Amino acid sequence: SQQGEEDPQALSIQEGENATMNCSYKTSINNLQWYRQNSGRGLVHLILIRSNEREKHSGRLRVTLDTSKKSSSLLITASRAADTASYFCATDRPSGNTPLVFGKGTRLSVIA
Amino acid sequence: DAGVIQSPRHEVTEMGQEVTLRCKPISGHDYLFWYRQTMMRGLELLIYFNNNVPIDDSGMPEDRFSAKMPNASFSTLKIQPSEPRDSAVYFCASSSTPTGSQPQHFGDGTRLSIL
């Protein structure tokens, strides 16, 4: 079954604004990752955050993790038209040597 | 370094035909994953390999689907016979681990259309 669910399903903002996407999951995790997918391309890894971490930054990206609420957020600051893409969260399953499970993604449109 | 390479990028074929999708993982990655992406179901894991051995094929939808990894640098996903509902984008990914402790690296996919 699907572990992570992104919210909202779609988001449209103006260039320069901040974009926030959320991911909720059902069971305990070890790691949570965020990926970007441009139209017609494969997924590209953005950030990995471990269950004992609360926040990570990478350039204009900021990821937070709240294990008590079983949720994560991805913030893109000062968005650009090139940030237009779908964004996915992916989580470990709670036990065992098992692969990532991906959510259905948030489609972000940044309007110039 | 080259990333994950998939071929063909696009495939259009008629129902009933055999379809073969190909993947070359990143050198040194011990794990290879095949995914299917559709609007309705999102990104689904079909099968994954560790050191060329299939570990979990529970996501393979039917016996019409088969996957092989004859060596560390090549894998195939076959559909025989193909059906219109198999139309989707198929991705291959590789990693040094099956879990979320390391990133997965994706190819650009094969867009498959079965008429």
Side-chain angles (χ1 to χ4, degrees):
Chain A
S1 63
Q2 194 167 301
Q3 169 76 315
E5 282 194 22
E6 293 88 345
D7 171 65
Q9 290 187 338
L11 178 62
S12 183
I13 60 173
Q14 297 288 327
E15 204 167 31
E17 293 180 338
N18 295 343
T20 300
M21 289 158 272
N22 303 296
C23 171
S24 59
Y25 53 91
K26 296 182 175 64
T27 59
S28 298
I29 61 168
N30 290 329
N31 304 279
L32 185 145
Q33 300 184 18
W34 284 92
Y35 288 78
R36 182 188 74 234
Q37 183 180 30
N38 290 92
S39 180
R41 304 298 298 274
L43 280 71
V44 174
H45 178 260
L46 297 175
I47 288 185
L48 183 158
I49 188 164
R50 306 189 193 283
S51 59
N52 62 353
E53 297 174 314
R54 291 296 166 259
E55 188 170 313
K56 288 192 86 167
H57 297 255
S58 176
R60 293 183 297 112
L61 306 181
R62 172 179 168 243
V63 167
T64 61
L65 178 64
D66 187 336
T67 53
S68 67
K69 294 182 179 178
K70 293 187 171 58
S71 68
S72 173
S73 67
L74 170 66
L75 168 68
I76 304 174
T77 59
S79 63
R80 305 166 182 169
D83 295 327
T84 295
S86 290
Y87 293 82
F88 296 84
C89 69
T91 54
D92 301 281
R93 291 175 190 175
S95 61
N97 204 28
T98 52
L100 290 173
V101 179
F102 287 80
K104 287 192 175 181
T106 292
R107 293 189 308 280
L108 173 65
S109 298
V110 181
I111 303 166
Chain B
D1 286 340
V4 175
I5 299 171
Q6 292 188 244
S7 64
R9 286 297 314 277
H10 303 274
E11 176 89 10
V12 180
T13 192
E14 292 189 347
M15 183 175 66
Q17 297 297 308
E18 178 178 291
V19 173
T20 300
L21 311 181
R22 297 173 175 80
C23 175
K24 177 179 169 56
I26 291 174
S27 178
H29 281 179
D30 292 335
Y31 291 86
L32 181 141
F33 309 84
W34 281 102
Y35 293 91
R36 178 173 67 178
Q37 186 178 41
T38 61
M39 288 295 292
M40 287 294 293
R41 300 175 69 89
L43 195 67
E44 303 173 277
L45 177 65
L46 301 177
I47 185 172
Y48 78 96
F49 294 82
N50 177 26
N51 291 326
N52 315 336
V53 176
I55 301 302
D56 183 355
D57 65 354
S58 59
M60 297 284 262
E62 298 173 34
D63 290 346
R64 298 183 296 106
F65 286 69
S66 63
K68 294 182 180 179
M69 192 164 184
N71 58 63
S73 59
F74 183 65
S75 178
T76 60
L77 178 68
K78 284 190 179 181
I79 309 173
Q80 167 64 19
S82 57
E83 296 184 4
R85 59 194 166 119
D86 301 331
S87 297
V89 183
Y90 290 82
F91 288 100
C92 174
S94 69
S95 180
S96 56
T97 173
T99 66
S101 61
Q102 293 293 328
Q104 288 189 12
H105 299 262
F106 283 75
D108 279 335
T110 296
R111 183 172 296 275
L112 178 64
S113 297
I114 308 296
L115 305 177

